[in-house]
Amino acid sequence: MAEQERVNLQVAPLDVPKHPGNARAFSVLVTQDNPDSGYVENAREGQSVTEADEVAHRRMLFAALQAVAPAPDSSLEHVREEIKRLDKA
C-alpha cells in the first residue's frame, strides 16, 4: 500500500527511544462527513475518543511522532532494506 502511495508509512528510528508511539497505539480518524475522532488501545482493550480536546491531544501526539520519523520515502526504503536483510538471514 505504501508503494502505491495509498498510505504514508513513517518508521520511528530506534535511536529515538522516547516518542509518543511508545506509550500505546492510537489512531486519528478524519473523514469528510463526520467530526474527527480517535481510537486508543492497549494490550487489553480499545477505546473510541470523540471529545474535541482529546482528539486534539491525539493529533498533537501524532504530529510529534511524525516529527521524529524520517519522510515516507526514506521510511519505505528502510523497510525494503530490512526485508532484504531478513530474507538473507
Side-chain angles (χ1 to χ4, degrees), residues 3 9 11 73-89:
E3 290 175 338
L9 174 69
V11 179
D73 288 344
S74 297
S75 290
L76 183 56
E77 185 58 32
H78 175 75
V79 170
R80 286 182 184 128
E81 290 172 10
E82 187 63 16
I83 290 170
K84 287 177 188 176
R85 187 187 72 76
L86 292 171
D87 283 344
K88 291 178 183 178

Side-chain angles (χ1 to χ4, degrees), residues 7-25:
V7 298
N8 286 328
L9 174 69
Q10 288 183 269
V11 179
L14 293 173
D15 62 348
V16 182
K18 294 183 179 182
H19 57 72
N22 284 339
R24 59 181 168 172

Side-chain angles (χ1 to χ4, degrees), residues 29-70:
L29 311 168
V30 179
T31 66
Q32 292 180 351
D33 301 327
N34 297 305
D36 294 353
S37 62
Y39 184 77
V40 181
E41 62 184 50
N42 60 38
R44 293 182 55 196
E45 62 188 1
Q47 176 183 11
S48 293
V49 177
T50 57
E51 296 172 2
D53 60 334
E54 287 295 320
V55 174
H57 180 68
R58 298 302 181 272
R59 283 178 158 282
M60 183 212 49
L61 291 175
F62 187 71
L65 185 55
Q66 285 182 298
V68 302

